[in-house]
């Protein structure tokens, strides 16, 4: 186990994908007192027991690729970097399960499985760097979700170190949880590292499909994809993944000198199965997409986009922050939520491409991202205003934002209702009586002073920021590059 209190290193751990402006130090002590890298479950138990004795917080961290501050301290303490716990413990091809430590990246695991003829059904698009523990912690949706579901659906068992230092198993490695009492696995999926630290995961795997085929269709406008997606959801065709990007996303990529299609919007689908079933599904997709106004794009475009699925934020190479917002909206309200999101982008004077996925047969995930100078206090704080307003659009359309973290913890009551949110808070109190496990997130927006910011205060502040952004001059980041493209 490695421990460091080096200042530079601690600073590196004081932010995640979306760095906080230093002015926020008034409220949050994001700089940890130390960074510890455990190798074994026993190391984690030891650290947790020590934290209980001293009352100092512990913050579990994977790769820090989430943008809601889940792995960033709000009142110092120890950041527990789990990336050294990255071993594959066993690949059991007879029973189709793999057991791993949680600090392995999704891509490293997928590659190791692929080499032995197996297949990982779902992973986040940040798979090259995101860890298993991190994505399980956020309970996110990702690649593979349309056909197979998300990580929680494929977990057989997890070993978890509770905030008291007690170690539990949430299921059985080789048999499902049916008839085994309440499903403990799901208690920790999406708990954002506040209920305990995942130290081992057993996942179901599949034999590699005989055929994996990417197909892509362009539409002159993203809104036109809505009716096609609803027909696909009812057709029985089940692509592993369906993702889309709008024109501005591709314009930025071309401005960076990357290869990208010149289309209003592109939908890329990955079909998996036997060759015969994939042939049939492709035929059916062709029929639905083209009859709804889509145009089939060449195989090379589809394969290129599938390869690019893990690199959505290449535009960061422009030297700008690409700040994403993420919301789930019901299928039937896709066009309405999209139109409202576009109006918000215009009103807030942003340059914001819209990308997203069809997350399952009921819903879409919209992920607009905007370019900004993340080191500029005013500009970067208004990012939160955009996220708040985008969330309001999702709520108004029967959906909701994805994740809580530090800043959106006030949404918990909206997600689960007052009584549901109270239950989640009481479970937290029961599991973590000394409040050492990743405090100040998910159930509250905590501060360095130990007091929580009330939900109405956060909402008011974020609405103010959004209002301020409307009054500020237009963001110009990336426009110079785009204008060169037009010449
Ligand atoms: C390019 C890009 C694409 C992305 N695509 C997706 C996507 O498709 N789907 C999606 O859902 N998200 C996506 N994200 C967001 C993010 O990558 C995911 O949430 C990711 O899985 C987080 O993993 P991480 O290892 O970086 O976790 P971190 O950011 O380090 O942590 C996330 C949360 O999990 C907790 N945690 C970490 N490890 C453990 C552990 N061992 N035990 C308990 N809690 C733990 C942390 O405390 C924190 O609250 C994307 C981000 C980027 C930059």
């Amino acid at each position: 186990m490695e421990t460091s209190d080096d200042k530079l290193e601690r600073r590196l751990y004081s932010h995640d994908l979306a760095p906080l402006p230093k002015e926020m130090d008034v409220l949050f002590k994001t700089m940890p007192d130390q960074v510890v890298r455990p190798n074994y479950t026993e190391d984690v138990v030891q650290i947790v027991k020590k934290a209980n004795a001293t009352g100092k917080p512990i913050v579990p961290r994977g790769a820090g690729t989430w943008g809601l501050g889940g792995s960033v301290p709000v009142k110092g303490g120890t950041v527990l970097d789990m990336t050294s716990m990255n071993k594959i413990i066993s690949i059991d091809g007879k029973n189709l399960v793999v057991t791993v430590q949680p600090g392995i990246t999704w891509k490293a695991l997928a590659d190791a499985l692929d080499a032995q003829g197996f297949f990982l059904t779902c992973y986040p698009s940040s798979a090259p760097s995101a860890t298993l523990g991190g994505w399980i912690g956020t309970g996110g949706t990702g690649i593979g979700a349309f056909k197979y579901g998300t990580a929680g659906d494929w977990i057989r068992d997890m070993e978890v170190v509770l905030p008291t230092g007690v170690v539990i198993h949430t299921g059985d490695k080789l048999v499902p949880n049916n008839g085994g009492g309440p499903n403990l696995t799901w208690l920790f999926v999406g708990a954002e590292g506040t209920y305990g630290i995942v130290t081992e995961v057993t996942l179901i795997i599949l034999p590699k499909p005989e055929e994996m085929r990417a197909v892509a269709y362009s539409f002159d406008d993203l809104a036109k994809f809505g009716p096609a997606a609803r027909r696909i959801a009812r057709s029985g065709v089940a692509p592993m993944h369906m993702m889309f990007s709008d024109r501005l996303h591709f314009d930025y990529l071309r401005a960076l000198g990357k290869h990208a299609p010149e289309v209003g919007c592109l939908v890329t689908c990955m079909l998996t199965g036997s060759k015969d079933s994939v042939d049939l599904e492709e035929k059916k997709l062709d029929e639905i997409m083209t009859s709804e106004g889509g145009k089939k794009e060449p195989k090379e475009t589809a394969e290129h986009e599938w390869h690019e699925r893990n690199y959505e934020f290449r535009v960061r190479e422009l030297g700008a922050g690409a700040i994403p917002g993420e919301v789930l909206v019901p299928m039937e309200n896709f066009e309405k939520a999209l139109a409202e999101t576009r109006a918000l982008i215009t009103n807030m004077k942003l340059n914001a491409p819209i990308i997203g996925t069809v997350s399952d047969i009921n819903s879409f995930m919209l992920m607009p991202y905007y370019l900004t100078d993340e080191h500029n206090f005013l500009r970067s704080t208004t990012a939160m205003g955009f996220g708040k307003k985008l969330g309001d659009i999702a709520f108004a359309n029967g959906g909701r934002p994805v994740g809580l973290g530090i800043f959106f913890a006030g949404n918990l009551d909206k997600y689960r209702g007052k009584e549901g949110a109270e239950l989640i808070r009481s479970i937290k109190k029961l599991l973590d009586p000394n409040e050492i496990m990743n405090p100040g997130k998910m159930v509250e927006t905590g501060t360095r002073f130990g007091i929580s910011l009330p939900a109405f205060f956060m909402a008011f502040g974020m609405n103010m920021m959004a209002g301020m952004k409307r009054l500020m001059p237009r963001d110009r980041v990336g426009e110079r590059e785009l204008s060169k493209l037009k010449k």
Side-chain angles (χ1 to χ4, degrees):
M1 175 162 62
E2 223 180 83
T3 302
S4 167
D5 58 4
D6 175 73
K7 193 165 175 199
L8 177 63
E9 191 158 8
R10 288 188 292 126
R11 185 162 298 287
L12 291 174
Y13 285 83
S14 68
H15 65 82
D16 62 6
L17 173 79
L20 280 177
K22 65 178 181 333
E23 287 79 357
M24 287 286 184
D25 286 355
V26 178
L27 285 176
F28 308 108
K29 188 179 175 221
T30 54
M31 186 93 149
D33 303 314
Q34 61 171 0
V35 178
V36 179
R37 291 187 194 88
N39 295 310
Y40 306 101
T41 304
E42 257 322 298
D43 298 339
V44 177
V45 171
Q46 197 186 318
I47 298 158
V48 170
K49 286 194 170 156
K50 197 165 160 203
N52 272 291
T54 58
K56 291 258 178 82
I58 305 175
V59 181
R61 181 179 175 107
T65 63
W66 204 34
L68 297 183
S71 57
V72 178
V74 298
K75 47 179 186 175
T78 299
V79 165
L80 208 60
D81 174 347
M82 300 298 289
T83 55
S84 296
M85 288 184 67
N86 60 1
K87 311 279 175 305
I88 295 176
I89 297 165
S90 64
I91 298 178
D92 178 349
K94 282 195 183 134
N95 293 298
L96 291 175
V97 289
V98 61
T99 299
V100 290
Q101 289 187 308
I104 190 168
T105 66
W106 288 91
K107 181 164 184 335
L109 178 58
D111 289 350
L113 290 172
D114 186 75
Q116 295 198 26
F118 299 107
F119 172 68
L120 203 53
T121 52
C122 59
Y123 46 87
S125 54
S126 48
S129 35
T131 64
L132 255 80
W135 198 42
I136 291 167
T138 64
T141 174
I143 292 168
F146 188 84
K147 180 168 184 175
Y148 299 111
T150 60
D153 298 308
W154 291 83
I155 298 172
R156 271 280 183 256
D157 176 45
M158 289 198 296
E159 180 187 72
V160 181
V161 178
L162 297 179
T164 49
V166 170
V167 181
I168 62 158
H169 278 261
T170 63
D172 300 284
K173 282 197 165 77
L174 299 182
V175 293
N177 195 41
N178 307 70
N183 192 328
L184 283 182
T185 296
W186 278 100
L187 187 61
F188 297 92
V189 175
E192 302 184 0
T194 66
Y195 279 6
I197 299 167
V198 176
T199 47
E200 192 188 283
V201 187
T202 299
L203 282 174
I204 305 167
I205 52 178
L206 291 182
K208 228 162 45 179
E210 182 192 350
E211 180 86 1
M212 290 187 71
R213 192 181 304 162
V215 285
Y217 306 86
S218 60
F219 288 81
D220 55 14
D221 186 278
L222 180 50
K224 295 200 176 150
F225 173 51
R230 286 189 286 272
R231 275 182 62 190
I232 294 167
R234 281 160 181 75
S235 69
V237 176
M240 165 184 179
H241 192 53
M242 280 198 275
M243 60 189 184
F244 50 81
S245 310
D246 71 359
R247 182 189 298 276
L248 187 57
H249 177 74
F250 294 127
D251 284 351
Y252 273 126
L253 288 173
R254 278 200 309 284
L256 272 170
K258 310 277 181 207
H259 172 69
E262 289 189 47
V263 291
C265 132
L266 190 78
V267 179
T268 306
C269 307
M270 172 49 77
L271 296 167
T272 55
S274 67
K275 186 173 176 312
D276 290 349
S277 70
V278 167
D279 284 346
L280 273 176
E281 289 203 315
E282 181 177 1
K283 219 168 137 203
K284 186 80 190 160
L285 269 188
D286 287 353
E287 183 194 316
I288 295 175
M289 296 287 211
T290 52
S291 66
E292 293 295 342
K295 172 175 167 275
K296 190 160 190 189
E297 294 293 329
K299 184 170 167 255
E300 295 70 35
T301 304
E303 281 170 1
H304 177 263
E305 287 312 304
W306 177 246
H307 179 263
E308 283 293 296
R309 72 195 180 285
N310 295 131
Y311 308 100
E312 293 153 318
F313 295 129
R314 284 199 194 278
V315 290
R316 284 176 88 90
E317 290 174 32
L318 284 171
I323 311 291
E326 218 177 83
V327 292
L328 290 167
V329 291
M331 271 260 164
E332 68 164 322
N333 289 342
F334 172 65
E335 290 91 328
K336 187 164 164 282
L338 180 67
E340 288 170 16
T341 302
R342 284 172 166 167
L344 176 69
I345 290 169
T346 307
N347 288 340
M348 288 188 72
K349 300 180 192 152
L350 296 165
N351 297 315
I354 297 178
I355 59 176
T357 63
V358 186
S359 34
D360 59 19
I361 61 162
N362 312 113
S363 63
F364 280 89
M365 205 266 294
L366 284 177
M367 192 165 74
Y369 66 89
Y370 81 87
L371 303 187
T372 189
D373 174 0
E374 57 195 9
H375 302 293
N376 177 313
F377 175 66
L378 266 183
R379 298 234 180 257
S380 55
T381 44
T382 51
M384 294 171 210
F386 176 70
K388 160 75 172 60
K389 291 287 180 194
L390 180 68
D392 289 347
I393 290 173
F395 283 127
N397 283 288
R400 60 168 172 76
V402 187
L404 296 147
I406 302 179
F407 302 104
F408 296 110
N411 278 339
L412 186 64
D413 290 63
K414 281 194 182 173
Y415 290 6
R416 298 287 160 256
K418 195 169 170 302
E419 290 77 12
E422 266 321 301
L423 178 64
I424 290 169
R425 289 193 184 97
S426 9
I427 295 171
K428 168 74 176 153
K429 279 199 189 109
L430 180 78
L431 293 174
D432 185 17
N434 296 324
E435 297 178 24
I436 53 113
M437 189 58 67
N438 209 358
K441 329 273 171 71
M442 192 183 80
V443 293
E444 57 167 343
T445 297
T447 61
R448 63 188 305 151
F449 310 109
I451 49 166
S452 310
L453 298 177
F456 73 84
F457 177 86
M458 290 300 290
F460 176 76
M462 288 190 199
N463 283 333
M464 285 268 294
M465 288 176 212
M468 275 170 63
K469 179 73 184 72
R470 287 194 168 109
L471 300 174
M472 283 162 59
R474 183 174 182 74
D475 267 357
R476 296 285 173 206
V477 183
E479 284 189 356
R480 194 165 41 93
E481 288 81 357
L482 276 184
S483 65
K484 275 192 222 151
L485 193 70
K486 279 171 196 148
K487 277 176 199 162

